[in-house]
Amino acid sequence: MELFKIQNEQWQSGVSKSITFIVTKDCQLACKYCYLVGKNSKERMPWSIAKQAVDYVLDHENDFNEESVIWDFIGGEPFLEIDLIDKICDYIKIELFRRDHHWFNSYRFSFSTNGINYHEEKVQRFIEKNRYHLSIGITIDGTRQKHDLNRVYKKTGRGSYDDVVRNIPLWQSQFPGNGTKVTISSADLPYIKESVLHLFSLGIPEVNINCVFEDVWKDGDDLIFQNQLMELADAIIDNGLYENNVCSFFQEHLGKPLDRKLQNQNWCGAGKMLAVDAAGIFYPCTRFAQYSLRNKKAWIIGNVNDGIDKNKLRGFLTLDRCTQSTQECIDCEVAEGCAWCQGENYDTADTYTAFQRSIAICKMHKARVRANNYYWNKLFRKLELEGIERERAKEHMKQPQIKDIC
């Protein structure tokens, strides 16, 4: 099959707008760490709502003036609604052309899928039709043991590894070089090393991996986490896997004191994004929809009939690291790279505010920093020694060779 690639020099030449359609709240799986606590099979987006949402966005071109756009489709599992998605995407393309919209040919359709029905004919037809404007990530958590520990079928509790891994070769042939997303929770910490290595062995060169932001961590989890990452570092460096593979847990500039220039930046894009659900309600991000929240009411910013209430977005414009962090977090010696989720901040705050940062992953971040320092120290030392050996070899080759005299 032909390699699928983006043939679009205009794509994301500026900052892209992310517009998310929650096409369904249903999913084949009941992943144990899933933050979507309100999944169900009833709330499916009707075509009329989807059309209204597209029309609203395109009718207000001046309010959405980013140079590029990501039309994102999520669930639940988005490919359960492939017929609706296909219709939405066709309509978007027609309208962008008809309106001579500035997003014409500067857009992408984006999906994160559990991969179970990736091989089905309807999904493959959709991919073929949209291949030059498409981004698809399949979630596979690692080895069968780790994957099946959490990613289980909701009806039977059976693990889904076999049904996902069979589609990885097809996916990689269509989107070579695409990475997968791995989630870490307390129960599966002991399987990090072997899972990342397993994913590399499947031909997935980039493993984007993160700890859940929810407060699930137990005493001692940080030490298990650190040891697993250090063992993973050894395996990657000793076997030269760093030359062709990437694991997002290891980043060169992670864990430094906060650059003062970054104090007025927000880790999360909530408020700059837009999400719409089956009822046509607008949210600043999917994490502010009711099915994502355990403790708070949904943060609604409008709907497809009345539009967006910009006053309800004002707070998001002032969100930055300082306005939502304690002084301890700001002054932390390893602050750089410590992430947060704006929706989780809101859901766990003492009041109805997004200006209170959750620190549930603090000890996990610090453990990651320690392992990250180990990784880069070891890698630089290896490269340094290899460089010295190469220079010695070059010098040796320059020396005149003494020939035998007969």
Side-chain angles (χ1 to χ4, degrees), residues 246-406:
V246 175
C247 175
S248 63
F249 269 149
F250 302 122
Q251 298 179 16
E252 188 172 352
H253 299 291
L254 174 75
K256 297 180 180 180
L258 181 63
D259 186 338
R260 297 299 173 181
K261 296 178 182 179
L262 302 178
Q263 287 189 359
N264 62 348
Q265 294 182 4
N266 193 22
W267 186 274
C268 171
K272 297 179 181 178
M273 302 181 285
L274 179 67
V276 59
D277 69 5
I281 298 173
F282 288 140
Y283 307 95
C285 166
T286 58
R287 289 294 297 252
F288 288 86
Q290 195 61 64
Y291 83 142
S292 299
L293 300 169
R294 305 178 304 278
N295 305 306
K296 299 287 179 22
K297 296 294 184 182
W299 191 309
I300 297 172
I301 61 171
N303 58 70
V304 294
N305 295 313
D306 303 319
I308 296 173
D309 184 344
K310 294 182 180 179
N311 284 325
K312 294 182 178 179
L313 283 174
R314 290 185 184 275
F316 291 94
L317 301 179
T318 59
L319 278 170
D320 59 29
R321 187 180 294 266
C322 287
T323 57
Q324 59 193 301
S325 300
T326 64
Q327 194 62 43
E328 181 181 1
C329 287
I330 295 171
D331 295 337
C332 179
E333 293 183 354
V334 294
E336 191 166 334
C338 187
W340 62 84
C341 167
Q342 210 66 61
E344 179 65 11
N345 287 357
Y346 167 64
D347 201 26
T348 59
D350 296 330
T351 62
Y352 282 83
T353 179
F355 287 84
Q356 182 177 327
R357 180 174 166 185
S358 170
I359 57 172
I361 66 166
C362 176
K363 66 179 183 179
M364 304 303 287
H365 171 70
K366 291 177 179 177
R368 177 190 175 193
V369 169
R370 294 191 293 270
N372 186 67
N373 291 341
Y374 174 83
Y375 175 91
W376 289 103
N377 286 334
K378 178 167 182 170
L379 179 58
F380 286 149
R381 180 59 177 162
K382 177 182 180 181
L383 296 177
E384 180 184 29
L385 291 174
E386 289 179 349
I388 292 173
E389 291 302 320
R390 283 196 297 270
E391 290 302 317
R392 287 176 177 171
K394 290 179 182 178
E395 290 299 321
H396 176 73
M397 295 299 293
K398 293 177 182 177
Q399 299 298 321
Q401 302 298 310
I402 299 175
K403 297 182 180 180
D404 293 334
I405 299 176
C406 299

Side-chain angles (χ1 to χ4, degrees), residues 65-343:
N65 55 14
E66 292 84 356
E67 293 183 33
S68 301
V69 62
I70 299 171
W71 302 96
D72 187 30
F73 298 89
I74 69 166
E77 167 52 41
F79 283 145
L80 290 177
E81 294 295 329
I82 187 60
D83 289 332
L84 172 65
I85 290 170
D86 189 32
K87 190 172 183 179
I88 295 172
C89 292
D90 281 351
Y91 183 69
I92 288 172
K93 290 182 289 186
I94 291 170
E95 286 299 296
L96 290 177
F97 175 78
R98 186 182 70 80
R99 296 166 183 256
D100 192 24
H101 196 282
H102 75 277
W103 284 340
F104 178 70
N105 206 38
S106 189
Y107 66 90
R108 184 178 297 177
F109 299 132
S110 177
F111 300 83
S112 180
T113 172
N114 60 33
I116 291 172
N117 60 342
Y118 184 84
H119 63 286
E120 291 180 357
E121 183 179 352
K122 287 183 178 181
V123 175
Q124 288 301 307
R125 280 205 307 266
F126 173 83
I127 292 173
E128 172 64 27
K129 182 164 64 174
N130 296 284
R131 65 182 183 269
Y132 297 128
H133 289 276
L134 202 57
S135 175
I136 299 179
I138 290 181
T139 299
I140 179 169
D141 261 1
T143 61
R144 177 182 283 104
Q145 185 176 18
K146 179 183 174 346
H147 185 96
D148 286 351
L149 186 66
N150 285 305
R151 302 186 67 81
V152 298
Y153 282 95
K154 65 179 181 180
K155 293 183 178 180
T156 65
R158 177 175 64 85
S160 59
Y161 174 86
D162 290 335
D163 295 327
V164 178
V165 77
R166 66 175 178 174
N167 286 324
I168 296 300
L170 173 60
W171 169 60
Q172 281 291 295
S173 71
Q174 295 169 334
F175 301 95
N178 267 23
T180 190
K181 183 178 71 174
V182 177
T183 300
I184 301 296
S185 61
S186 180
D188 51 54
L189 284 171
Y191 311 112
I192 294 175
K193 172 195 169 184
E194 60 184 22
S195 288
V196 173
L197 297 177
H198 178 68
L199 294 172
F200 289 162
S201 74
L202 292 178
I204 301 173
E206 182 176 338
V207 177
N208 297 302
I209 186 167
N210 64 276
C211 297
V212 298
F213 289 104
E214 289 76 26
D215 189 7
V216 300
W217 305 107
K218 303 173 183 176
D219 290 341
D221 278 352
D222 53 331
L223 297 180
I224 300 173
F225 185 42
Q226 178 182 334
N227 290 336
Q228 278 290 301
L229 291 187
M230 291 176 69
E231 290 179 15
L232 175 61
D234 287 336
I236 291 175
I237 295 171
D238 293 346
N239 295 289
L241 298 176
Y242 56 86
E243 295 178 356
N244 298 305
N245 300 278
V246 175
C247 175
S248 63
F249 269 149
F250 302 122
Q251 298 179 16
E252 188 172 352
H253 299 291
L254 174 75
K256 297 180 180 180
L258 181 63
D259 186 338
R260 297 299 173 181
K261 296 178 182 179
L262 302 178
Q263 287 189 359
N264 62 348
Q265 294 182 4
N266 193 22
W267 186 274
C268 171
K272 297 179 181 178
M273 302 181 285
L274 179 67
V276 59
D277 69 5
I281 298 173
F282 288 140
Y283 307 95
C285 166
T286 58
R287 289 294 297 252
F288 288 86
Q290 195 61 64
Y291 83 142
S292 299
L293 300 169
R294 305 178 304 278
N295 305 306
K296 299 287 179 22
K297 296 294 184 182
W299 191 309
I300 297 172
I301 61 171
N303 58 70
V304 294
N305 295 313
D306 303 319
I308 296 173
D309 184 344
K310 294 182 180 179
N311 284 325
K312 294 182 178 179
L313 283 174
R314 290 185 184 275
F316 291 94
L317 301 179
T318 59
L319 278 170
D320 59 29
R321 187 180 294 266
C322 287
T323 57
Q324 59 193 301
S325 300
T326 64
Q327 194 62 43
E328 181 181 1
C329 287
I330 295 171
D331 295 337
C332 179
E333 293 183 354
V334 294
E336 191 166 334
C338 187
W340 62 84
C341 167
Q342 210 66 61

